[in-house]
Amino acid sequence: GAVVSQHPSRVICKSGTSVKIECRSLDFQATTMFWYRQFPKQSLMLMATSNEGSKATYEQGVEKDKFLINHASLTLSTLTVTSAHPEDSSFYICSARGRPVSNSPLHFGNGTRLTVT
Amino acid sequence: QKEVEQDPGPLSVPEGAIVSLNCTYSNSAFQYFMWYRQYSRKGPELLMYTYSSGNKEDGRFTAQVDKSSKYISLFIRDSQPSDSATYLCAMSAGGNNRLAFGKGNQVVVIP
């Protein structure tokens, strides 16, 4: 089946630094990638949608200057948490949808647990 | 009313029992329905993917969709301790429409 690889799986950083998370579709071309955030015992909260070659679309309340998303190729999207603060500590999960978009399910990466100290 | 309703549980069952999970939804435009399994500290794993109403079976898993009632179900037969996880329902209208997720239902299968 479709495989989405997310790296790193865990990262600890100091407050004020930036962290980059990579999401790759390994065996299919991902025209659209989604970035989610998940709090303990909560469902997935969509942060932004990125389409290859165009700017990401952010959900209401998500700061685009803080969560930089780049989808430079059909197999790679990155999320950079800039000037991280402890409240940014969370579980971040990417997902990718292949082609045809209309009837392709989402496949998820294994998530990145970010801890900001 | 939330777009997707799912009882968060937890649901505890003895090994070998049938697990029954369900979600209701309000958006009649939804056509694609998914069930994901999520183990602790892992990303969701796609279990079942169905289009429109009907049943789909894959091994011990059966997904049912009743669009007239806006109700979807997942059944797990002969449940195993390894089935202990959180199960999320998700649905979309298709195209580039976002997925709407349920809150997730924690299932514990007791050996």
Side-chain angles (χ1 to χ4, degrees):
Chain A
V3 177
V4 175
S5 173
Q6 188 173 341
H7 180 80
S9 58
R10 301 186 71 169
V11 59
I12 300 172
C13 71
K14 290 187 176 180
S15 187
T17 60
S18 295
V19 173
K20 180 185 280 188
I21 303 169
E22 290 190 350
C23 181
R24 294 179 185 273
S25 57
L26 296 186
D27 54 358
F28 66 103
Q29 292 183 325
T31 53
T32 305
M33 288 186 171
F34 301 85
W35 286 94
Y36 291 87
R37 186 171 177 174
Q38 188 175 36
F39 294 100
K41 299 189 186 299
Q42 297 290 317
S43 190
L44 302 164
M45 182 188 80
L46 180 64
M47 297 175 66
T49 301
S50 74
N51 294 296
E52 184 265 336
S54 62
K55 287 185 178 180
T57 303
Y58 290 80
E59 295 299 302
Q60 192 173 12
V62 178
E63 299 175 60
K64 60 180 69 176
D65 293 331
K66 181 167 189 60
F67 298 100
L68 300 178
I69 291 171
N70 184 277
H71 192 158
S73 76
L74 283 171
T75 59
L76 174 64
S77 176
T78 60
L79 167 68
T80 302
V81 182
T82 62
S83 186
H85 290 285
E87 58 265 30
D88 299 324
S89 299
S90 190
F91 193 51
Y92 294 87
I93 313 174
C94 72
S95 66
R97 174 175 280 157
R99 292 178 174 149
V101 171
S102 63
N103 58 6
S104 294
L106 277 189
H107 298 278
F108 288 86
N110 256 335
T112 297
R113 181 157 304 281
L114 170 64
T115 302
V116 184
T117 61
Chain B
Q1 182 186 9
K2 288 187 178 178
E3 207 168 28
V4 180
E5 298 273 6
Q6 182 178 13
D7 183 352
L11 175 66
S12 293
V13 300
E15 183 174 355
I18 295 176
V19 175
S20 173
L21 306 170
N22 58 76
C23 290
T24 58
Y25 62 95
S26 58
N27 188 344
S28 57
F30 289 149
Q31 299 184 78
Y32 298 90
F33 303 91
M34 287 136 275
W35 285 96
Y36 289 88
R37 176 175 64 194
Q38 186 176 21
Y39 291 112
S40 181
R41 302 171 192 264
K42 297 289 186 183
E45 170 194 8
L46 180 67
L47 274 182
M48 300 292 279
Y49 179 57
T50 55
Y51 169 71
S52 195
S53 286
N55 295 354
K56 184 174 182 178
E57 190 172 318
D58 184 359
R60 297 184 295 111
F61 298 92
T62 300
Q64 292 184 348
V65 175
D66 182 347
K67 287 188 68 180
S68 62
S69 302
K70 296 189 179 69
Y71 186 92
I72 69 171
S73 301
L74 176 71
F75 300 97
I76 308 173
R77 291 184 300 279
D78 187 25
S79 58
Q80 306 294 309
S82 58
D83 294 326
S84 298
T86 296
Y87 291 81
L88 294 142
C89 64
M91 47 201 79
S92 81
N96 228 353
N97 286 284
R98 67 191 63 181
L99 282 192
F101 284 92
K103 272 193 168 183
N105 193 327
Q106 185 184 358
V107 172
V108 177
V109 180
I110 303 166

